[in-house]
Amino acid sequence: MKIGVDLGGSHIGVGIIKDATIIDSKDKILTREDRVKIEETIVNSITIMIKDLCNENNVKVEELEIIGIASPRYYFKW
């Protein structure tokens, strides 16, 4: 099993993946209150969503092969 995390500017998405197929996912829309302590919000939200997905899909955290995180990047045009 694998975990994919989509860290966006307005939301956080986490999915559990088996054999290249997303079998379950969770999302959190970031509010203004979340952005006050954004680092704490990101870490806590990802941790909770991974634990919930593992529990709901009968997967032990030790069974996870990898956790991949995608986030936006700003490109400058020179």
Side-chain angles (χ1 to χ4, degrees):
M1 296 281 191
K2 300 174 184 171
I3 294 285
V5 179
D6 179 14
L7 183 56
S10 62
H11 90 290
I12 300 170
V14 177
I16 191 164
I17 302 154
K18 181 179 181 182
D19 301 323
T21 301
I22 299 171
I23 60 170
D24 199 359
S25 64
K26 294 197 174 289
D27 289 292
K28 174 176 180 51
I29 303 299
L30 298 173
T31 65
R32 288 181 192 219
E33 293 80 24
D34 291 331
R35 292 185 179 128
V36 172
K37 294 183 178 182
I38 192 65
E39 295 90 355
E40 186 178 319
T41 297
I42 291 169
V43 171
N44 289 342
S45 297
I46 291 171
T47 302
I48 290 167
M49 286 190 275
I50 289 173
K51 286 180 180 179
D52 287 349
L53 284 169
C54 286
N55 288 335
E56 292 167 10
N57 291 280
N58 299 316
V59 174
K60 294 180 183 176
V61 174
E62 299 82 22
E63 295 178 73
L64 297 175
E65 301 169 47
I66 193 168
I67 297 174
I69 300 175
S71 65
R73 180 176 178 189
Y74 183 78
Y75 290 94
F76 291 95
K77 187 174 183 181
W78 299 97

